[in-house]
Amino acid sequence: MADSGILACASAPAKTILFGEHAVVYGHPGIAIPLPSLRLDVTITFSARSRIVSRQVGLNAEIDSIPESDPVGKLTRLLAERFGMPPVPIAIRINSKLPVAAGLGSGAALSIAIIRAYAQMMRIAITDSEVSEIAFEIEKIYHGDPSGIDNSVIAHEKPIYYIKNKTIEPIETPVELPILVVDSGLKSATIDVVADVRRRFPGNRPILEAIGKLTSEAVQALKAGDLPALGTFMNENQRLLHNLTVSCGEIDRIARLALDSGALGAKLTGAGRGGNMVILAADHAQKKRLEQILAKSGVTVRS
Ligand code: MEV
């Protein structure tokens, strides 16, 4: 039988980490911003049979058949426990522009859009902090040892300065940042990269500390809208991430091309070893030119 009647709908943005990935897992600060134009939408409808559907990833399954070891399986059980069972059989439909395993927070965005839609269906008011807290439980399956920065920035949908279990401070930026988010084209599983950085701990502690120190300085440049200083911090952050062994040849190549073409800064974003990069242009006109240069060399521009 065809689905009929929308019960609820919600959406969540992608995110990009400007500074501090990996170090943020160890209690150092991180800075992340939402990408409002890159979104994942969830619609809940009445359905003859309870199911979850995503055309992008070829998913069409009975909700109850998804095991609890799967993030979506765990989330649907958690929501039923917390907010009650759906009053009727439902279909959860996911429509996403976010690439998966690419450093843009697709896992957190999926959890957050489902949480918001589910609460709406049950007519339960829920705060951004509660949304973030539930999504954090699911991040443990995606990341193993998450800092919580992804669920926090996506749930609050504001630029944030973040310290694990301590600080979520919204950041006001005086200028709209001329940043590009581009895809290296290589997939990378956050859980594996985070685990590998953990295996190398405490040998890599000085690099993580240097990233933390740099992030606490970069936030001042961000608040002041000082783009040249921000670019310098981004390049230094990328150098440290390279030393942490989480960059890769393709990311290094794209960073070189962007900087040689006049970008102020270029770095990987998220776990690294593939995924996306964030590039800072001097202004919006240069951003357009960089977009064309990168697209010509085969790089996918995401935002
Ligand atoms: C992933 O987007 C960012 C990492 O720092 C992991 C985390 O903070 O949970 C690599």
Side-chain angles (χ1 to χ4, degrees), residues 5 45 52 67 106 118 143 172 175 185 197-198 203 214 232 236 238 282:
T45 59
I52 183 151
S106 62
Y118 199 98
H143 289 198
E172 295 294 335
V175 289
V197 171
R198 171 75 66 200
L214 174 151
T232 305
E236 177 58 8
Q238 172 60 21

Side-chain angles (χ1 to χ4, degrees), residues 161-197:
Y161 181 78
Y162 179 86
I163 302 175
K164 189 175 184 175
N165 298 329
K166 210 165 153 193
T167 310
I168 307 175
E169 183 194 312
I171 305 173
E172 295 294 335
T173 53
V175 289
E176 197 198 319
L177 296 177
I179 58 168
L180 278 173
V181 175
V182 305
D183 202 324
S184 71
L186 304 170
K187 296 281 176 210
S188 163
T190 300
I191 193 163
D192 297 338
V193 189
V194 169
D196 193 42
V197 171

